[in-house]
Amino acid sequence: MKQIKLFPHSFQRIGYVLLVPFLALGIAHMFFEFNPSWLEFKMNLKGPLEFSASQNFTDELASVGLIVSLIFIAFSKETIEDEAIQFFRLEALQWAVYANYLVLIISILAVYGTTFFQVMTYNMFTVLIIFILRFRYILFQYNKASYEK
């Protein structure tokens, strides 16, 4: 069987380390409107058409950090990476895609307005989160069955 290209196992630990601060930043921004001033950029254009704008990049930083950390966790090698683990990884990914689109279909049918936008924001992370949870559960069951034999 052809090997799937994965990050080295050490990236899994890096992903967990990065997940904590970016998750905390995302929660602080979403629920407590935390916007650090060092992430705010102001732009002033002078000329015939004066233009002034400011943008805070807290949510962009939290989102990119969460996605990168979840990808590191999800797609780094296990300590023993064999064909069974690759099969479990593929099965968990398929399961995550099905679950993600089920959530999307339910959201399209049941959620409207700005709430729909919030659901879509959370939905960016559901594939990776469901994949990680499902893959870890399958590995737990596999290791438990192997230990009992």
Side-chain angles (χ1 to χ4, degrees), residues 70-71 74-75 92-104 121-135:
L70 290 172
I71 284 175
F75 300 112
L93 187 59
Q94 181 185 23
W95 208 84
V97 170
Y98 289 157
N100 180 58
Y101 280 101
L102 179 65
V103 169
L104 182 62
T121 302
Y122 297 128
N123 198 32
M124 288 189 307
F125 309 107
T126 55
V127 170
L128 289 170
I129 291 170
I130 292 171
F131 168 75
I132 292 167
L133 294 174
R134 178 71 180 161
F135 183 60

Side-chain angles (χ1 to χ4, degrees), residues 11-31:
F11 277 54
Q12 194 175 78
R13 186 172 298 133
I14 294 169
Y16 282 116
V17 169
L18 291 175
L19 180 67
V20 174
F22 287 117
L23 183 62
L25 181 64
I27 289 171
H29 176 73
M30 290 290 288
F31 297 109

Side-chain angles (χ1 to χ4, degrees), residues 142-149:
Y142 178 70
N143 290 333
K144 183 179 171 186
S146 298
Y147 181 74
E148 291 175 355
K149 286 183 181 179

